């Protein structure tokens, strides 16, 4: 709920009321009796009251709570540029033994993941590893308005999309399954 006046919403409601009135007066509706008028009036009153109650009952703290519990990035204010910087959502999963072993193998190959705070596939990739395993893997923020942005590095590396893995100097774009990353690590480790 915006808790603000919306001129488009007011205009839309006014148009709806005018069209309903025209339909009623123009004879498009079958029943012009008192029963029809009462039903239309009761419907209008109930809808208006429900909208007003919804608008009044939602306060800022509950709206903020809803926003923070979803997959939305949190924001901080940067004193450097006066703008807002955004952090990726927190990783909520616990790492499996397999993910921990894979992250150790990736770290040995100087691997890193390029991503953006707003990228849902990046978040899914992090969740697949879990908090503990992903903490071993360097994450490079490519979005200009992301916290610790390294957008110039991403551009110089010609990162094609997010997420993109750099493993042993080679780029692997797209969200990767743990199986796929294990194969890449195994083949990269076998090379002299």
């Amino acid at each position: 709920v915006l808790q603000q006046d919306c001129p488009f919403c007011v205009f839309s409601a006014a148009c709806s009321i005018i069209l309903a009135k025209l339909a009623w007066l123009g004879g498009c509706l079958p029943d012009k009796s008192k029963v029809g008028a009462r039903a239309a009036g009761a419907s209008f009153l109930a809808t208006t009251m429900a909208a007003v109650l919804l608008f009044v009952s939602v306060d800022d703290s509950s709206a903020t709570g809803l926003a923070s519990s979803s997959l939305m990035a949190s924001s901080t204010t940067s004193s450097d540029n006066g703008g807002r910087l955004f952090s990726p959502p927190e990783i909520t999963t616990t790492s499996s033994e397999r993910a921990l072993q894979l992250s150790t193998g990736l770290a040995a190959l100087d691997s890193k993941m390029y991503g953006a705070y707003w990228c849902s596939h990046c978040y899914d990739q992090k969740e697949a590893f879990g908090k503990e395993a992903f903490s071993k893997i360097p994450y490079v923020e490519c979005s200009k308005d992301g916290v610790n942005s390294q957008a110039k590095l991403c551009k110089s590396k010609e990162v094609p999309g997010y997420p993109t893995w750099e493993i042993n100097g080679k780029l692997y774009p797209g969200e990767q399954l743990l199986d796929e990353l294990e194969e890449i690590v195994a083949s990269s480790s076998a090379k002299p």
Side-chain angles (χ1 to χ4, degrees), residues 57-71:
S57 68
V58 176
D59 62 348
D60 290 336
S61 62
S62 64
T64 304
L66 288 172
S68 65
S69 66
S70 65
L71 178 59

Side-chain angles (χ1 to χ4, degrees), residues 17-42:
I17 291 169
I18 290 169
L19 286 173
K21 191 73 168 169
L22 288 173
W24 187 270
L25 293 175
C28 292
L29 298 177
D31 192 336
K32 290 186 178 182
S33 69
K34 289 183 180 183
V35 175
R38 281 189 208 143

Side-chain angles (χ1 to χ4, degrees), residues 43-187:
S43 296
F44 176 77
L45 184 62
T47 304
T48 303
M49 288 180 62
V52 169
L53 283 173
L54 180 65
F55 185 77
V56 172
S57 68
V58 176
D59 62 348
D60 290 336
S61 62
S62 64
T64 304
L66 288 172
S68 65
S69 66
S70 65
L71 178 59
M72 292 181 65
S74 59
S75 66
T76 57
T77 304
S78 168
S79 57
D80 298 338
N81 63 11
R84 292 177 58 133
L85 297 179
F86 298 90
S87 299
E90 191 175 328
I91 302 169
T92 59
T93 56
T94 303
S95 300
S96 65
E97 193 60 40
R98 178 182 177 204
L100 287 165
Q101 289 175 352
L102 177 56
S103 66
T104 301
L106 286 166
L109 294 172
D110 192 31
S111 303
K112 54 185 70 76
M113 188 182 102
Y114 297 93
Y117 69 88
W118 46 261
C119 170
S120 63
H121 295 287
C122 299
Y123 179 73
D124 292 342
Q125 187 78 85
K126 293 174 188 178
E127 287 284 293
F129 274 91
K131 192 175 212 167
E132 300 82 9
F134 199 78
S135 68
K136 297 180 182 182
I137 302 167
Y139 171 72
V140 180
E141 177 62 52
C142 293
S143 183
K144 289 180 183 179
D145 57 350
V147 171
N148 300 323
S149 174
Q150 296 181 45
K152 289 180 182 178
L153 173 63
C154 299
K155 191 171 184 173
S156 71
K157 292 279 188 175
E158 297 180 357
V159 173
Y162 312 123
T164 292
W165 286 91
E166 182 179 3
I167 303 171
N168 214 16
K170 185 176 177 189
L171 296 180
Y172 297 89
E175 187 176 348
Q176 307 290 324
L177 298 173
L178 294 184
D179 291 337
E180 294 170 319
L181 288 170
E182 286 172 335
E183 289 176 20
I184 294 168
V185 167
S187 66

